[in-house]
Structure formats: C-alpha cells, structure tokens
Amino acid sequence: MTRVYLELGSKKVFACSLEWPGWCRVTKGEEAALDLLMDYVPRYRVIAERAGLAFEPGDPVVAERVPGDATTDFGAPSTMPELDLEPLDAEEARRQVALLRAAWELFDETVAVSPEELRKGPRGGGRDTSRIYDHVVEAERSYARQLDVRHKPYRSREDRDAMREELAEVLARPWEPPGGTRWTPRYAARRLAWHVIDHLWEIEDRREG
C-alpha cells in the first residue's frame, strides 16, 4: 500500500505520496493524477536508491483529499493535509532528510552536466539551466522561512550549502504537534523535495529534445 493524498484544484489535481517526499505529480483529474504518479516510479527510484532506500511502492491508496487553490491550478502544491500533523520520530525524520539530500545531489549533478540552453516549449517558453538553478535555490531560501530558517541572499555556493545544512538539521529532529512553525516537517520535506525534483526532471526532459 502506498498512502497518497489528493490536492483538488478547480482545474488540476496533485497526487502526492505521504511517505516519499517529492514523489508528487499533477494533471487534470483524480485518476489521471494517480496514474501519472505511478508512471514516475522508475524516475523516483533513482532518488530513493541514491538515499540508500529500496523503493517498490504498492498500489496507491487515497488517505486524504484536501482543497486546492489557484496555486494548485498553476502547478504547485499549496495545501498541507491533516495527516502531516502525525508525530514524526527520529528514524523517519532522518529517512526523509536522506531523500531530500539525494534530491539536492542529483539536481546539482544534473545542472552541472546539462547545456545552458534547453529545448523551448511550443510557444518558445521555458527557463534555461542557470535560470532554473537560480529559481530553485532562491525558492528554497523562501521555503526555509516557513521553518524559521532565515538566510540572506546567497553570495556563494557555500552560503547555499550552509542553509541546506541548517534545513537538514531542523528536519531531522523528532516532531510532535502543535510545533512552532508554519509548516510541519513532513510538509516541508515534501514541498522542498518536490520543487527540486520537479525541476530536475524538467531539465532532464528538456535537454533530451
């Protein structure tokens, strides 16, 4: 069994795994979103294996439905499910951080070996590699504030790494509700990993065209 939740926008639906941070897909319709999520099992397995984890998910079971909003329809997750209020023990927290670290590593490696110019969309849109990278790391700095991790704009890769280390340390702690931050650790790990992985896969897809 693979527990997922569905975030229901007026136009799009996110299907997100509750136990595997960043394994989320969005499209039109509930069944289509679940099918798309399972289509990405081989690609997410690469991330899990980098984290040293076996990834053989079973059939998805919808454990919760949450209302989405304009952000959902834009293509980004926006609503935290009630299940993210479940207590988080140290072992599971470390496991989630391992998956986030794997996503960071693979994203950085992909950026390093990808051409600057990527295939454009049908209307000529889409960022090139360096702009995707800048977008991801700046969004990450914004996301970190939801956990009270605050860093000034980066001046170096070392600045970015320092913030990631602080994020990893915060997310690796056991947690129980109510907590004291806007995002719970479960939601934060998922949202951070999703954004990194989504753009990792975007670069992979657009450089091959």
Side-chain angles (χ1 to χ4, degrees):
M1 184 183 76
T2 297
R3 293 196 311 162
V4 304
Y5 73 92
L6 299 177
E7 182 176 318
L8 309 173
S10 62
K11 299 177 181 178
K12 295 181 180 179
V13 176
F14 260 97
C16 294
S17 168
L18 285 156
E19 279 82 28
W20 295 94
W23 185 31
C24 302
R25 291 288 86 193
V26 62
T27 191
K28 295 180 179 179
E30 293 189 18
E31 291 302 320
L34 291 168
D35 289 344
L36 186 60
L37 184 72
M38 297 309 291
D39 287 345
Y40 274 73
V41 165
R43 295 182 79 169
Y44 192 87
R45 185 177 290 118
V46 175
I47 295 157
E49 289 177 349
R50 174 62 68 93
L53 299 170
F55 181 65
E56 298 295 338
D59 292 336
V61 174
V62 177
E64 186 174 346
R65 287 175 170 83
V66 298
D69 55 22
T71 301
T72 314
D73 289 333
F74 178 75
S78 179
T79 306
M80 183 168 59
E82 289 291 326
L83 287 167
D84 281 346
L85 294 172
E86 292 179 345
L88 186 69
D89 63 29
E91 181 179 359
E92 178 61 15
R94 289 192 296 268
R95 176 182 166 278
Q96 294 202 14
V97 169
L99 288 160
L100 177 59
R101 286 188 182 277
W104 281 334
E105 290 174 7
L106 287 164
F107 177 76
D108 288 351
E109 290 171 11
T110 299
V111 167
V113 300
S114 296
E116 170 60 15
E117 187 172 344
L118 300 173
R119 177 173 52 86
K120 302 303 181 186
R123 298 182 182 178
R127 302 178 181 95
D128 286 327
T129 300
S130 62
R131 291 189 63 196
I132 292 174
Y133 172 82
D134 291 342
H135 165 70
V136 168
V137 298
E138 186 57 29
E140 202 164 79
R141 194 171 66 86
S142 175
Y143 292 167
R145 291 197 290 270
Q146 310 305 315
L147 295 167
D148 291 337
V149 174
R150 302 179 184 277
H151 283 249
K152 295 179 180 178
Y154 307 131
R155 294 186 178 183
S156 66
R157 183 63 65 92
E158 288 73 22
D159 290 345
R160 184 210 67 178
D161 290 347
M163 192 207 67
R164 285 183 171 178
E165 285 303 313
E166 186 174 351
L167 268 175
E169 193 276 328
V170 168
L171 291 171
R173 300 170 186 164
W175 180 89
E176 291 186 2
T181 57
R182 183 175 178 183
W183 286 358
T184 69
R186 290 181 188 276
Y187 184 77
R190 182 183 312 114
R191 184 71 176 269
L192 284 158
W194 164 78
H195 197 234
V196 174
I197 293 167
D198 191 59
H199 286 294
L200 161 64
W201 289 341
E202 178 193 358
I203 294 172
E204 288 178 342
D205 292 343
R206 291 178 56 215
R207 74 183 182 189
E208 294 171 359

